[in-house]
Amino acid sequence: MMIRSLLRQQHQSTPQLSSSIRSISTTPTLQQAMPAPKTSSEEPKTAQKKVIKTKEKSGSASKMAAKEAKTNRLVDLMTKAYDAPITPPPKVSDEEMAIRAMIGRNYVIGSFKRHNENNHDLAVKIRMKKHAMKLLPKEGEIGDTPIEGEKNTVYGKWRKAAFKVNGNWGPPDSRPIPLLTPPIEGFDASLYMDAEDES
């Protein structure tokens, strides 16, 4: 209540401004420093003429203007493409949806089968490799002979070569690349690969 009464007193004590002046502060010193607005009777209104300045463009200026117009056109085109409404796919009958579902299901089943066969093949090869490495003769066993001019023996050299890791090894070339869509019947990728190589 006390704040309201103080605000009312302050409001009544400050001089009122005309509606045409906008002021941030209500202190009297700032209001007196502001110039008085011109009234309509002091100065008659006259239509002002627009002065259009024409400059002759040099060769480089015209090129810059053409380049800027081209970039603006490309920006406008890209903006329109970005803001284009998304067209919904056409409605499909229930029979077509059932066929598509069956094709997708069979593709997923076939992909899993191929994936499992490849993983099983790799797992068997890794197991065989580990077993073969265990069966390698150890250094110093019967039949091991030292190599002339070296500290190693024949069995030791075999083991070192077998346990050496090849850093350049990668997945085999025969491994299929995962695809997002089912394979297309009658599609031969080699035809298109040859065309890309030639160009």
Side-chain angles (χ1 to χ4, degrees):
M1 295 293 259
M2 190 166 187
I3 296 172
R4 285 186 189 170
S5 61
L6 287 173
L7 287 174
R8 278 189 207 136
Q9 288 173 0
Q10 187 180 8
H11 182 65
Q12 290 170 358
S13 65
T14 55
Q16 297 294 324
L17 294 175
S18 65
S19 61
S20 62
I21 299 176
R22 289 187 177 179
S23 175
I24 295 171
S25 177
T26 56
T27 55
T29 54
L30 287 177
Q31 292 172 358
Q32 291 168 359
M34 293 181 70
K38 292 181 181 177
T39 59
S40 59
S41 60
E42 291 176 10
E43 189 178 314
K45 292 183 180 177
T46 56
Q48 293 181 353
K49 294 180 181 177
K50 285 188 177 180
V51 179
I52 301 170
K53 294 181 181 179
T54 57
K55 245 187 190 180
E56 291 184 16
K57 292 183 179 178
S58 63
S60 62
S62 63
K63 285 179 185 175
M64 289 293 289
K67 188 177 181 182
E68 188 176 331
K70 187 177 181 182
T71 55
N72 288 342
R73 187 179 64 82
L74 289 173
V75 168
D76 291 342
L77 188 66
M78 289 174 69
T79 307
K80 285 177 185 176
Y82 183 75
D83 292 339
I86 298 169
T87 54
K91 298 213 173 186
V92 184
S93 65
D94 292 338
E95 297 164 355
E96 180 66 25
M97 288 300 290
I99 291 169
R100 290 181 184 181
M102 185 185 68
I103 290 170
R105 185 173 181 273
N106 289 338
Y107 174 68
V108 170
I109 291 169
S111 296
F112 267 106
K113 188 175 179 184
R114 187 178 64 211
H115 175 75
N116 291 341
E117 285 173 358
N118 287 335
N119 281 354
H120 176 70
D121 184 45
L122 289 173
V124 168
K125 287 175 181 173
I126 289 168
R127 202 178 315 130
M128 287 171 59
K129 182 186 81 170
K130 286 182 177 177
H131 185 65
M133 287 167 73
K134 278 183 186 175
L135 292 177
L136 279 172
K138 292 178 183 169
E139 197 169 356
E141 284 186 353
I142 300 171
D144 190 15
T145 55
I147 301 171
E148 293 179 18
E150 290 185 25
K151 294 180 181 177
N152 292 339
T153 60
V154 174
Y155 292 168
K157 192 171 183 181
W158 288 352
R159 286 185 75 81
K160 281 185 182 175
F163 283 91
K164 188 176 180 183
V165 178
N166 184 2
N168 298 327
W169 184 84
D173 295 334
S174 60
R175 185 180 296 175
I177 300 168
L179 305 172
L180 296 173
T181 57
I184 302 165
E185 291 180 18
F187 178 76
D188 187 10
S190 63
L191 298 173
Y192 297 94
M193 297 299 285
D194 294 341
E196 284 182 8
D197 293 342
E198 288 171 4
S199 60

